Amino acid sequence: CGTGKERSCIFSLLLVISLLFFCCRVNQMLGLCAWVHGDPRKVVYPTDSYGQFCGQKDTLNENKTILFYFNILKCASPAVLINLQCPTTQLCVSKCPDRFATYIDVQASYRYKPDHWNYFKQFCKPGFNNPRKSVAQVLRDEDCPSMIIPSRPFLKRCFPDFSTKNGVLTVANQTTFKDGRGKTRNVTDLREAANGINIVLDARSVGMKIFEDYASSWYWILIGLFIAMVVSLLFLVLLRFTAGVLFWIFIFGVIGIIGYGIWHCYWEYSHLKGIPGSDLTVYDIGFQTDFRVYLQLRQTWLAFMIILCIVEVIIILMLIFLRNRIRIAIALLKEGSRAIGYIMSTLFYPIVTFLLIAICISYWAVTAVFLATSGEPVYKVMANQTLCKYANLSCDPETFNTTNVTKLCPGAQCTFAFYGGESLYHKYIFIFQLANAFVFLWLVNFAIALGQCTLAGAFASYYWAFRKPADIPLWPLFSSFGRAIRYHTGSLAFGALILAIVQLVRVILEYLDHKLKGTQNSFTRFLLCCLKCCFWCLEKFLKFINRNAYIMIAIYGKNFCTSAKEAFFLLMRNVVRVAVLDKVTDFLLFLGKILVAGGVGVLAFFFFTQRIPVFAKEAPTLNYYWVPLLTVIIGSYLVAHGFFSVYAMCVDTLFLCFCEDLERNDGSTAKPYFMSASLHRILGKKELSPKKAVG
């Protein structure tokens, strides 16, 4: 393994300078522009027709945190409401209306029922207190809403309080209401909006229940993840001595878990036989927010059982046809377990990579939010007359009353529409978002590359130690990290740059595919599909090349291009070993992850469904037991992936070192092999020289 003195710094230095210059310039431009022009409050707070935030401190709206729509019938859908494109006056209020009322009725009774007027005027424009003004003029100028209906706040906006009573759509238990223009209308007139709003409200209900489940089970989730971490670490430690036994346990454990799943699905399928409603299909019941409904259908359990049977058969067939290759892969894993046993600190290095990626994600997210909220208030002419030629044109609220628009279009108003701008900066917001995404991809790939090179250097120092463990450096992981930072930053950045470019192209293709959906012809769809497939394959190939190039960089200290070329041709000269050993090893490690996630998941299932008598009283009462269950399963898989990724990097490094060892040495006294005697015997070579010391 090359030392620091043998490593060239010229290529790295040039790329480091280029990297720092480019990143500094791009980050400076994006960060300063976004943070100067952006305002995240536009995402958090709704905005009224005057461009003012509802609930903003030190303003007149400080205590008015909810947005009220004068005529919600003009809003086509809830999406229009949320996007602030509803063509009606929008006002900040302290609370939503809780009763039916019309301006006509309130005006007629304001003298002897002043309380009614005092309540109604809080939903009028600020400062308006003239109930003697004619109804026609009030509605034309939109000084007050023509009607108010019982509403409830959601997303800091007032939505009608829809409910269903005996299958009939109602608002506050009423099916009709007065629209304030002399007509009595049915609540079904709001059905188009009601359907969307009900979905949103159902989603809110589900969201609140999920939040409650997390609040009552978060510590049990952490316990489950801790168990997954302990089990993963225990497996990797035990691999030091019993790699073969444990991996056969992995294999049969996965088969057993899937077999139990098949049996459980069959039991549920048989148990539901004869129960009313269980023979309905998923199509018959449609989409339901309560997923427990699907578990009451026989069709659901039959589908689960078929899927698990297919997976079980595939795994068994692979084990039958690859049994000999699996033995070879296990031997390579045993060697990897010895390396990790001598360098235990490598198991915890993924935490460093996780923290670096978390910083990258945080910076990207904050900058993206500031960019998305960049812009000045844009005001549009809102006219009641559809024939007004000035409708939807930009306007200036300070000079609007001095123009002829109000004379030509009576009742027209200059109201806030959205945040944007016509400056050069605002025209290129999308380009800035792409640049921000590119820097994010580059930095994330660099963090991953740094981790791979660091681990490869540590494991390479184990392999190329002539006497193991005597010749292994004192702090191999820290030494490898220092070499990667000092000598290989430029090479790692260059490899990350190439991969980031390909990933950015894939992002752009996905964006174009989304934008052109519904307007593209068959040829365009075919072309986009081909391009997406090609760049997906290219990304996978580059990840494979980069990973092996970083190993060669860690071994010899050469630049990225030279290391990538040497790694590629070395792998091509050993393509059979690569295809069999590497992929079978990945398959076995994947089974290990599945076993950890599945085992902890089964334990969590029995716990959260209160099927463990000892802990039945300790289990929390949940709305959806699958919420913490899925969290534990996914989290356990990610925890296991973090530990096993170190093992996979160890195996890849040792395998590449082994191939290089075979080409550089011949087992003689002058050129002895560096591989261990056990690995040498398993891979079918002659016995090592007796003078070769092995660990």
Side-chain angles (χ1 to χ4, degrees):
C1 188
T3 62
K5 296 180 180 179
E6 299 170 354
R7 299 168 187 265
S8 172
C9 298
I10 297 178
F11 186 75
S12 297
L13 182 60
L14 290 177
L15 279 177
V16 168
I17 294 174
S18 301
L19 170 68
L20 292 177
F21 177 78
F22 181 82
C23 285
C24 287
R25 296 299 297 173
V26 172
N27 287 342
Q28 182 182 19
M29 178 183 68
L30 291 176
L32 290 178
C33 291
W35 296 339
V36 168
H37 295 279
D39 191 348
R41 293 178 302 175
K42 300 171 187 176
V43 178
V44 179
Y45 300 104
T47 311
D48 63 14
S49 295
Y50 308 101
Q52 300 174 347
F53 295 119
C54 295
Q56 183 178 356
K57 293 184 178 180
D58 301 326
T59 65
L60 296 176
N61 291 333
E62 181 175 1
N63 297 321
K64 300 177 180 180
T65 59
I66 309 171
L67 192 66
F68 171 74
Y69 297 88
F70 267 32
N71 188 358
I72 200 168
L73 292 173
K74 292 184 178 181
C75 303
S77 68
V80 172
L81 301 180
I82 296 173
N83 291 327
L84 306 176
Q85 299 297 323
C86 189
T88 186
T89 300
Q90 302 160 28
L91 190 71
C92 295
V93 295
S94 58
K95 60 181 180 180
C96 296
D98 58 5
R99 66 192 71 171
F100 286 103
T102 63
Y103 180 79
I104 295 176
D105 295 338
V106 171
Q107 185 192 49
S109 61
Y110 79 94
R111 287 188 177 88
Y112 55 90
K113 292 183 178 179
D115 292 342
H116 289 186
W117 168 248
N118 291 333
Y119 179 82
F120 193 91
K121 73 177 182 180
Q122 66 181 321
F123 302 105
C124 298
K125 288 182 177 178
F128 181 80
N129 191 21
N130 184 15
R132 292 181 297 275
K133 188 175 181 178
S134 68
V135 174
Q137 291 179 333
V138 169
L139 299 183
R140 182 198 64 189
D141 299 336
E142 291 206 2
D143 294 319
C144 289
S146 62
M147 62 174 179
I148 58 174
I149 58 178
S151 305
R152 52 180 173 178
F154 178 58
L155 297 177
K156 297 187 177 181
R157 293 163 174 83
C158 290
F159 287 89
D161 188 10
F162 289 104
S163 61
T164 302
K165 185 176 183 180
N166 297 325
V168 179
L169 186 68
T170 64
V171 175
N173 295 324
Q174 295 190 26
T175 58
T176 60
F177 65 96
K178 296 180 180 179
D179 66 355
R181 299 177 185 272
K183 294 182 180 180
T184 299
R185 307 183 66 165
N186 197 291
V187 173
T188 55
D189 293 339
L190 297 171
R191 182 171 295 277
E192 182 179 355
N195 290 335
I197 291 173
N198 280 333
I199 292 175
V200 174
L201 295 177
D202 287 342
R204 181 189 68 167
S205 176
V206 172
M208 289 300 297
K209 291 179 180 179
I210 291 175
F211 178 79
E212 292 173 358
D213 289 342
Y214 277 124
S216 59
S217 63
W218 64 269
Y219 47 91
W220 293 109
I221 293 175
L222 292 180
I223 292 174
L225 297 180
F226 178 76
I227 293 174
M229 183 186 71
V230 172
V231 172
S232 300
L233 185 60
L234 182 62
F235 275 148
L236 292 181
V237 172
L238 291 178
L239 284 175
R240 174 73 171 83
F241 309 100
T242 57
V245 175
L246 282 180
F247 267 94
W248 283 114
I249 291 175
F250 282 171
I251 293 171
F252 290 109
V254 170
I255 293 175
I257 289 175
I258 297 177
Y260 169 78
I262 294 173
W263 176 85
H264 183 78
C265 292
Y266 176 77
W267 184 85
E268 293 284 358
Y269 177 78
S270 302
H271 181 70
L272 291 173
K273 185 177 181 179
I275 297 179
S278 63
D279 291 326
L280 294 175
T281 64
V282 176
Y283 178 81
D284 292 333
I285 65 173
F287 175 77
Q288 300 290 331
T289 56
D290 188 353
F291 295 102
R292 289 177 294 184
V293 175
Y294 298 108
L295 300 180
Q296 299 173 4
L297 304 179
R298 300 186 73 204
Q299 187 187 63
T300 302
W301 293 105
L302 179 62
F304 287 162
M305 183 171 62
I306 293 173
I307 293 172
L308 291 176
C309 286
I310 293 174
V311 173
E312 186 88 325
V313 170
I314 291 174
I315 293 177
I316 292 175
L317 290 177
M318 292 183 68
L319 293 176
I320 293 174
F321 289 105
L322 296 177
R323 60 187 184 277
N324 293 328
R325 301 301 181 183
I326 288 176
R327 294 192 185 100
I328 299 175
I330 289 175
L332 197 60
L333 289 168
K334 287 181 179 179
E335 189 67 17
S337 67
R338 295 189 186 95
I340 293 179
Y342 290 126
I343 317 174
M344 290 293 293
S345 57
T346 55
L347 290 175
F348 301 97
Y349 185 83
I351 297 176
V352 177
T353 302
F354 172 78
L355 292 176
L356 292 176
I357 293 177
I359 293 173
C360 295
I361 293 175
S362 301
Y363 176 82
W364 165 78
V366 171
T367 305
V369 168
F370 273 92
L371 282 172
T373 56
S374 297
E376 301 296 330
V378 175
Y379 297 87
K380 298 284 187 179
V381 176
M382 185 179 66
N384 292 327
Q385 298 179 6
T386 58
L387 298 179
C388 179
K389 64 179 182 179
Y390 296 101
N392 296 323
L393 295 181
S394 300
C395 59
D396 185 353
E398 296 182 358
T399 61
F400 181 73
N401 292 330
T402 62
T403 63
N404 293 327
V405 177
T406 54
K407 297 179 180 178
L408 298 175
C409 303
Q413 300 182 47
C414 182
T415 61
F416 169 79
F418 54 87
Y419 285 98
E422 302 296 332
S423 67
L424 188 65
Y425 167 76
H426 296 104
K427 290 180 179 179
Y428 291 97
I429 288 291
F430 178 72
I431 302 299
F432 292 155
Q433 288 282 22
L434 284 181
N436 183 38
F438 174 72
V439 173
F440 164 72
L441 293 173
W442 192 357
L443 294 177
V444 167
N445 286 316
F446 176 79
I448 295 174
L450 178 62
Q452 291 176 343
C453 187
T454 300
L455 292 173
F459 294 127
S461 66
Y462 162 83
Y463 186 92
W464 297 112
F466 195 75
R467 295 173 301 164
K468 302 176 179 64
D471 292 342
I472 299 177
L474 182 60
W475 300 102
L477 182 65
F478 295 104
S479 300
S480 178
F481 182 78
R483 287 196 303 270
I485 291 294
R486 182 177 180 183
Y487 298 107
H488 309 317
T489 308
S491 296
L492 301 179
F494 185 68
L497 172 64
I498 297 174
L499 189 56
I501 292 174
V502 174
Q503 290 174 336
L504 182 65
V505 173
R506 288 194 63 200
V507 170
I508 295 174
L509 289 175
E510 291 290 346
Y511 174 79
L512 292 176
D513 187 32
H514 176 73
K515 284 294 183 182
L516 297 177
K517 219 167 250 186
T519 61
Q520 55 192 348
N521 54 35
S522 299
F523 176 76
T524 306
R525 288 196 300 270
F526 174 76
L527 181 61
L528 272 177
C529 183
C530 291
L531 288 174
K532 288 163 61 177
C533 180
C534 291
F535 276 94
W536 179 85
C537 295
L538 180 59
E539 181 185 354
K540 295 299 180 183
F541 175 75
L542 287 177
K543 285 183 176 180
F544 175 75
I545 290 297
N546 283 10
R547 183 183 180 91
N548 290 281
Y550 299 147
I551 296 175
M552 297 299 288
I553 289 172
I555 296 174
Y556 292 111
K558 298 180 181 179
N559 61 53
F560 175 81
C561 295
T562 303
S563 299
K565 181 184 69 174
E566 293 181 353
F568 177 76
F569 286 112
L570 180 62
L571 293 173
M572 289 301 99
R573 291 192 295 270
N574 297 272
V575 64
V576 177
R577 289 193 179 104
V578 172
V580 176
L581 297 181
D582 188 58
K583 295 310 172 185
V584 170
T585 300
D586 290 342
F587 174 68
L588 291 176
L589 292 177
F590 174 72
L591 289 182
K593 300 173 193 176
I594 294 293
L595 180 60
V596 173
V600 177
V602 169
L603 181 64
F605 172 77
F606 283 109
F607 174 78
F608 288 118
T609 56
Q610 300 180 352
R611 299 189 184 186
I612 303 179
V614 179
F615 297 100
K617 295 182 180 180
E618 300 293 334
T621 303
L622 302 171
N623 298 297
Y624 309 116
Y625 72 86
W626 52 263
V627 172
L629 178 61
L630 287 180
T631 304
V632 169
I633 293 175
I634 296 174
S636 298
Y637 182 85
L638 294 177
V639 169
H641 176 75
F643 284 99
F644 283 90
S645 63
V646 175
Y647 214 92
M649 194 67 199
C650 177
V651 173
D652 289 345
T653 302
L654 296 181
F655 178 69
L656 209 61
C657 290
F658 164 76
C659 295
E660 186 71 11
D661 192 13
L662 289 179
E663 295 192 355
R664 289 173 51 183
N665 305 304
D666 55 12
S668 64
T669 305
K671 293 183 178 180
Y673 288 125
F674 282 79
M675 70 184 74
S676 65
S678 58
L679 182 60
H680 189 271
R681 285 193 302 269
I682 290 170
L683 294 173
K685 294 295 176 182
K686 296 179 180 179
E687 289 299 326
L688 294 174
S689 172
K691 296 181 180 180
K692 169 74 169 66
V694 293

